[in-house]
Amino acid sequence: MSSLLDGFLNDPNMSGRDATARFIGSVLWPELTENDELHQSLDDLMGTPSNLRTAFQPIVDLDTGAAVGFEALSRFPEHYGLAPRKWFDIALRLGRSLSLEVAALERALASAAAMPHGCFIAVNLSPLTAMDPAAQEILLKQARPLVVEITEHEPFPDNLADALKPLRDSGIRLAIDDAGAGFASFTQMLRVRPDIIKIDGTLTAGIDDDPIKRALVSAVVRLAEELDAVTVAEAVEEPRQAHVLQQLGV
């Protein structure tokens, strides 16, 4: 495509269409160049194991204050210039989401060997990656307790619950991540019937001063009780938040 466009732009017989051609080139050419650069950056990112680091966020029981699990979060070198979430979005756009997610998953599980063995490890996967046989094979080989958090930045496929049955049959628990912020709805949670519902930080921020947020969280807690699921609140930064969430049954 690049050689055809270059010939089109420099054809001496097309002077009457020069403005149009230059406009087309200004729109198309930077995009093609940018995508090539992004593909190269993803190659570099995944090609060097030290580039894929994992930070572990503790998941704490509000009653006891003890860590019961750790969420594995991908961290990439700062010189790549974008937050991890942005790189996962770019990989999705370029059709390379599965490769990046699997690479991050393998790094997270390898790094989890250093975490307390009595705690579960939670890993984040998009719906399609969680359904992928190769990703499931990696998860099924693990000996320690695992939770798979299904991210809500993409719609849930209709057959998601059935596709995740092999994981659940093996004892791996399923969490719906960022409840209240993405594509998840009460209907989708009823279809998937997760073991854990994670309440998005947009609902927990300022919940001690917002009765509407408290009402929404109460509704999620009530649904979780009916599903025999546990609720987990994200982005709890202040003691007042933690106290209100505890009172609501999170």
Side-chain angles (χ1 to χ4, degrees), residues 7-21:
F8 177 64
L9 293 177
N10 294 288
D11 185 350
N13 298 316
M14 53 153 295
S15 57
R17 293 177 292 161
D18 184 70
T20 301

PDB file of all heavy atoms in Angstrom, residues 7-21:
ATOM      1  N   GLY A   7       3.468   6.405  -5.283  1.00  0.00           N
ATOM      2  CA  GLY A   7       3.375   6.650  -6.713  1.00  0.00           C
ATOM      3  C   GLY A   7       2.230   7.573  -7.054  1.00  0.00           C
ATOM      4  O   GLY A   7       2.333   8.439  -7.933  1.00  0.00           O
ATOM      5  N   PHE A   8       1.123   7.409  -6.361  1.00  0.00           N
ATOM      6  CA  PHE A   8      -0.045   8.248  -6.598  1.00  0.00           C
ATOM      7  C   PHE A   8       0.263   9.706  -6.282  1.00  0.00           C
ATOM      8  O   PHE A   8      -0.078  10.630  -7.026  1.00  0.00           O
ATOM      9  CB  PHE A   8      -1.201   7.733  -5.746  1.00  0.00           C
ATOM     10  CG  PHE A   8      -2.463   8.562  -5.843  1.00  0.00           C
ATOM     11  CD1 PHE A   8      -3.157   8.666  -7.040  1.00  0.00           C
ATOM     12  CD2 PHE A   8      -2.938   9.234  -4.743  1.00  0.00           C
ATOM     13  CE1 PHE A   8      -4.311   9.420  -7.134  1.00  0.00           C
ATOM     14  CE2 PHE A   8      -4.094   9.990  -4.819  1.00  0.00           C
ATOM     15  CZ  PHE A   8      -4.790  10.085  -6.022  1.00  0.00           C
ATOM     16  N   LEU A   9       0.945   9.914  -5.158  1.00  0.00           N
ATOM     17  CA  LEU A   9       1.233  11.281  -4.728  1.00  0.00           C
ATOM     18  C   LEU A   9       2.227  11.978  -5.646  1.00  0.00           C
ATOM     19  O   LEU A   9       2.201  13.205  -5.780  1.00  0.00           O
ATOM     20  CB  LEU A   9       1.774  11.273  -3.295  1.00  0.00           C
ATOM     21  CG  LEU A   9       0.800  10.846  -2.201  1.00  0.00           C
ATOM     22  CD1 LEU A   9       1.510  10.823  -0.859  1.00  0.00           C
ATOM     23  CD2 LEU A   9      -0.395  11.759  -2.141  1.00  0.00           C
ATOM     24  N   ASN A  10       3.103  11.222  -6.297  1.00  0.00           N
ATOM     25  CA  ASN A  10       4.180  11.832  -7.085  1.00  0.00           C
ATOM     26  C   ASN A  10       3.986  11.689  -8.585  1.00  0.00           C
ATOM     27  O   ASN A  10       4.900  11.949  -9.355  1.00  0.00           O
ATOM     28  CB  ASN A  10       5.521  11.210  -6.677  1.00  0.00           C
ATOM     29  CG  ASN A  10       5.892  11.557  -5.245  1.00  0.00           C
ATOM     30  OD1 ASN A  10       6.251  12.681  -4.954  1.00  0.00           O
ATOM     31  ND2 ASN A  10       5.804  10.570  -4.356  1.00  0.00           N
ATOM     32  N   ASP A  11       2.805  11.286  -9.020  1.00  0.00           N
ATOM     33  CA  ASP A  11       2.504  11.158 -10.446  1.00  0.00           C
ATOM     34  C   ASP A  11       2.467  12.554 -11.079  1.00  0.00           C
ATOM     35  O   ASP A  11       1.658  13.398 -10.696  1.00  0.00           O
ATOM     36  CB  ASP A  11       1.160  10.464 -10.623  1.00  0.00           C
ATOM     37  CG  ASP A  11       0.849  10.183 -12.098  1.00  0.00           C
ATOM     38  OD1 ASP A  11       1.569  10.691 -12.998  1.00  0.00           O
ATOM     39  OD2 ASP A  11      -0.129   9.454 -12.346  1.00  0.00           O
ATOM     40  N   PRO A  12       3.339  12.851 -12.083  1.00  0.00           N
ATOM     41  CA  PRO A  12       3.367  14.196 -12.685  1.00  0.00           C
ATOM     42  C   PRO A  12       2.120  14.523 -13.471  1.00  0.00           C
ATOM     43  O   PRO A  12       1.868  15.683 -13.784  1.00  0.00           O
ATOM     44  CB  PRO A  12       4.608  14.132 -13.595  1.00  0.00           C
ATOM     45  CG  PRO A  12       4.784  12.677 -13.905  1.00  0.00           C
ATOM     46  CD  PRO A  12       4.356  11.952 -12.664  1.00  0.00           C
ATOM     47  N   ASN A  13       1.329  13.530 -13.814  1.00  0.00           N
ATOM     48  CA  ASN A  13       0.133  13.753 -14.622  1.00  0.00           C
ATOM     49  C   ASN A  13      -1.114  14.022 -13.776  1.00  0.00           C
ATOM     50  O   ASN A  13      -2.214  14.083 -14.310  1.00  0.00           O
ATOM     51  CB  ASN A  13      -0.124  12.541 -15.523  1.00  0.00           C
ATOM     52  CG  ASN A  13       1.017  12.315 -16.496  1.00  0.00           C
ATOM     53  OD1 ASN A  13       1.509  13.264 -17.104  1.00  0.00           O
ATOM     54  ND2 ASN A  13       1.434  11.053 -16.635  1.00  0.00           N
ATOM     55  N   MET A  14      -0.945  14.181 -12.495  1.00  0.00           N
ATOM     56  CA  MET A  14      -2.121  14.324 -11.643  1.00  0.00           C
ATOM     57  C   MET A  14      -2.158  15.683 -10.944  1.00  0.00           C
ATOM     58  O   MET A  14      -2.702  15.833  -9.865  1.00  0.00           O
ATOM     59  CB  MET A  14      -2.155  13.215 -10.573  1.00  0.00           C
ATOM     60  CG  MET A  14      -0.874  13.136  -9.781  1.00  0.00           C
ATOM     61  SD  MET A  14      -1.046  12.472  -8.131  1.00  0.00           S
ATOM     62  CE  MET A  14      -2.036  13.679  -7.350  1.00  0.00           C
ATOM     63  N   SER A  15      -1.576  16.702 -11.550  1.00  0.00           N
ATOM     64  CA  SER A  15      -1.482  18.008 -10.903  1.00  0.00           C
ATOM     65  C   SER A  15      -2.847  18.573 -10.546  1.00  0.00           C
ATOM     66  O   SER A  15      -2.996  19.261  -9.544  1.00  0.00           O
ATOM     67  CB  SER A  15      -0.740  18.994 -11.814  1.00  0.00           C
ATOM     68  OG  SER A  15      -1.402  19.088 -13.076  1.00  0.00           O
ATOM     69  N   GLY A  16      -3.860  18.283 -11.344  1.00  0.00           N
ATOM     70  CA  GLY A  16      -5.180  18.800 -11.040  1.00  0.00           C
ATOM     71  C   GLY A  16      -5.790  18.177  -9.804  1.00  0.00           C
ATOM     72  O   GLY A  16      -6.750  18.721  -9.247  1.00  0.00           O
ATOM     73  N   ARG A  17      -5.261  17.048  -9.365  1.00  0.00           N
ATOM     74  CA  ARG A  17      -5.789  16.369  -8.182  1.00  0.00           C
ATOM     75  C   ARG A  17      -4.811  16.426  -7.020  1.00  0.00           C
ATOM     76  O   ARG A  17      -4.937  15.703  -6.058  1.00  0.00           O
ATOM     77  CB  ARG A  17      -6.087  14.899  -8.522  1.00  0.00           C
ATOM     78  CG  ARG A  17      -7.222  14.725  -9.528  1.00  0.00           C
ATOM     79  CD  ARG A  17      -7.415  13.262  -9.877  1.00  0.00           C
ATOM     80  NE  ARG A  17      -6.267  12.741 -10.642  1.00  0.00           N
ATOM     81  CZ  ARG A  17      -5.983  11.456 -10.764  1.00  0.00           C
ATOM     82  NH1 ARG A  17      -6.720  10.563 -10.158  1.00  0.00           N
ATOM     83  NH2 ARG A  17      -4.946  11.064 -11.480  1.00  0.00           N
ATOM     84  N   ASP A  18      -3.855  17.314  -7.117  1.00  0.00           N
ATOM     85  CA  ASP A  18      -2.773  17.333  -6.133  1.00  0.00           C
ATOM     86  C   ASP A  18      -3.279  17.593  -4.718  1.00  0.00           C
ATOM     87  O   ASP A  18      -2.871  16.926  -3.772  1.00  0.00           O
ATOM     88  CB  ASP A  18      -1.745  18.399  -6.520  1.00  0.00           C
ATOM     89  CG  ASP A  18      -0.549  18.378  -5.585  1.00  0.00           C
ATOM     90  OD1 ASP A  18       0.225  17.412  -5.642  1.00  0.00           O
ATOM     91  OD2 ASP A  18      -0.441  19.305  -4.771  1.00  0.00           O
ATOM     92  N   ALA A  19      -4.168  18.570  -4.566  1.00  0.00           N
ATOM     93  CA  ALA A  19      -4.647  18.897  -3.221  1.00  0.00           C
ATOM     94  C   ALA A  19      -5.363  17.724  -2.593  1.00  0.00           C
ATOM     95  O   ALA A  19      -5.164  17.410  -1.412  1.00  0.00           O
ATOM     96  CB  ALA A  19      -5.570  20.114  -3.288  1.00  0.00           C
ATOM     97  N   THR A  20      -6.206  17.061  -3.405  1.00  0.00           N
ATOM     98  CA  THR A  20      -6.922  15.897  -2.887  1.00  0.00           C
ATOM     99  C   THR A  20      -5.958  14.785  -2.509  1.00  0.00           C
ATOM    100  O   THR A  20      -6.076  14.159  -1.447  1.00  0.00           O
ATOM    101  CB  THR A  20      -7.923  15.379  -3.927  1.00  0.00           C
ATOM    102  OG1 THR A  20      -8.838  16.414  -4.244  1.00  0.00           O
ATOM    103  CG2 THR A  20      -8.676  14.170  -3.405  1.00  0.00           C
ATOM    104  N   ALA A  21      -4.978  14.539  -3.380  1.00  0.00           N
ATOM    105  CA  ALA A  21      -4.018  13.466  -3.128  1.00  0.00           C
ATOM    106  C   ALA A  21      -3.206  13.748  -1.865  1.00  0.00           C
ATOM    107  O   ALA A  21      -2.977  12.861  -1.045  1.00  0.00           O
ATOM    108  CB  ALA A  21      -3.088  13.308  -4.323  1.00  0.00           C
TER     109      ALA A  21
END
